[in-house]
Structure formats: C-alpha cells, structure tokens
Amino acid sequence: MSDLHTTEQPGEHNSALIRRFYEAFNRLDAEAMAACYTDDVLFSDPVFGELRGSEAGDMWRMLTSRAKEFSIRFDNVRADERSGGAHWVATYLFSQTGRTVVNDIQARFVFREGKICEHHDNFDLWRWSRQALGAKGALLGWTPFVQNAIRAQAKKGLRSFRQGL
C-alpha cells in the first residue's frame, strides 16, 4: 500500500507544478513561471517555434509585460512522474492590431528533477491569425507565407526584447 502512495507523489507534485505555472501566468508573474522550468528547458509552439533555456523564460517575460485585457483559464491538468498535460485558453488583445484573441491551447510537458524540462503548446495558427489579423488572417493565414511571417515577427520581437534586458 505504501508503494502505491509513493509512486503517486511525483505525479501529484507535477500536477501541482502545472497548476502553479498557470496560476502565475494568470497573475502575469513571468518570474514564477520561469522558476517552474529547468535551466535547459525546451519550449515550442506554432508562433515562436522552438525556444531553449532562458529564451523560454524571456518569451513569458515579454508576453506578460505587454499583456492587455489578459486572462487565462486552464483545466484537465494531468501528470505522472515523467510527463503531463493541460488545456488552457488565453484571452487578450493582440497589441499589433488591437483585436481580441481567444486562443485554445493543448499543452504537453516533460518533467525532470521536479521541474518542467519540455513544454509544448499546440494550437491552430490559422484560427489564431483570423482573430489576431482579421481579414488578412482569414484569407491568407493558412498559407505558409503568412504563417512564416507571423513566426519571423514573433522571433524578431523576442530578440529585440532580449536585447533590451
């Protein structure tokens, strides 16, 4: 009986870690979010692509510092000793257009030594672009050209933010 309880503890710890991450995000506390990551974390999503180490924390610092009319909801948090996931929805004003975005995201995590060592967010970039960019996103947001332009703009914004730190 005690062995069963012991094997459940890492999963419980990791579920609490995911909740702590999103609670910090809801408070726009990027430092608390970054503290949930290992130093060599691998982050990926359809906009920023792959970010490693401090780039991931800096992305959250940039996004939280620029957030307008921001809120998140999260649910379906699940984890075992090695991996986990969650569903979350972010609502915010996209600063470049002033348009409201409601982004529905599935997150996957990998854990190491009590922290998140991999974080992969998945969402429909075309759906995001329709909301963020309006008619241009609706008409062309599915094309590799526009999706690559969105990615290039995000990477450029992150590079500029990091240079200002």
Side-chain angles (χ1 to χ4, degrees):
M1 190 75 153
S2 64
D3 288 335
L4 180 60
H5 181 70
T6 303
T7 58
E8 289 177 354
Q9 281 183 323
E12 292 169 11
H13 170 80
N14 291 334
S15 291
L17 180 63
I18 293 170
R19 284 190 295 276
R20 191 164 61 246
F21 180 87
Y22 288 116
E23 288 163 358
F25 196 9
N26 204 37
R27 295 188 313 270
L28 300 175
D29 185 348
E31 297 309 317
M33 294 170 73
C36 295
Y37 284 161
T38 59
D39 290 342
D40 64 344
V41 67
L42 167 62
F43 173 87
S44 69
D45 82 357
V47 171
F48 287 94
E50 284 192 2
L51 303 175
R52 295 186 179 272
S54 63
E55 284 182 313
D58 288 345
M59 175 202 60
W60 296 121
R61 288 176 186 95
M62 178 182 76
L63 294 175
T64 58
S65 71
R66 297 177 178 175
K68 300 273 190 265
E69 296 186 29
F70 175 84
S71 68
I72 68 161
R73 293 179 286 117
F74 66 95
D75 57 31
N76 199 21
V77 172
R78 63 215 174 277
D80 59 28
E81 64 278 355
R82 281 185 250 137
S83 63
H87 168 253
W88 61 286
V89 177
T91 303
Y92 57 93
L93 281 184
F94 183 59
S95 61
Q96 293 177 4
T97 61
R99 298 176 57 87
T100 298
V101 173
V102 180
N103 201 9
D104 193 316
I105 302 158
Q106 290 293 328
R108 291 184 302 108
F109 301 95
V110 177
F111 307 105
R112 186 178 70 234
E113 299 172 3
K115 291 194 171 189
I116 299 166
C117 65
E118 291 186 29
H119 177 178
H120 305 282
D121 280 347
N122 188 30
F123 57 88
D124 183 334
L125 186 54
W126 185 21
R127 184 175 186 273
W128 179 90
S129 70
R130 289 192 304 263
Q131 295 176 75
L133 304 177
K136 177 184 174 184
L139 294 173
L140 301 172
W142 61 272
T143 66
F145 177 78
V146 171
Q147 290 189 358
N148 288 335
I150 290 167
R151 291 181 186 110
Q153 185 65 33
K155 287 277 197 175
K156 179 181 174 187
L158 181 56
R159 272 193 311 276
S160 175
F161 179 81
R162 295 187 82 200
Q163 288 172 352
L165 292 178

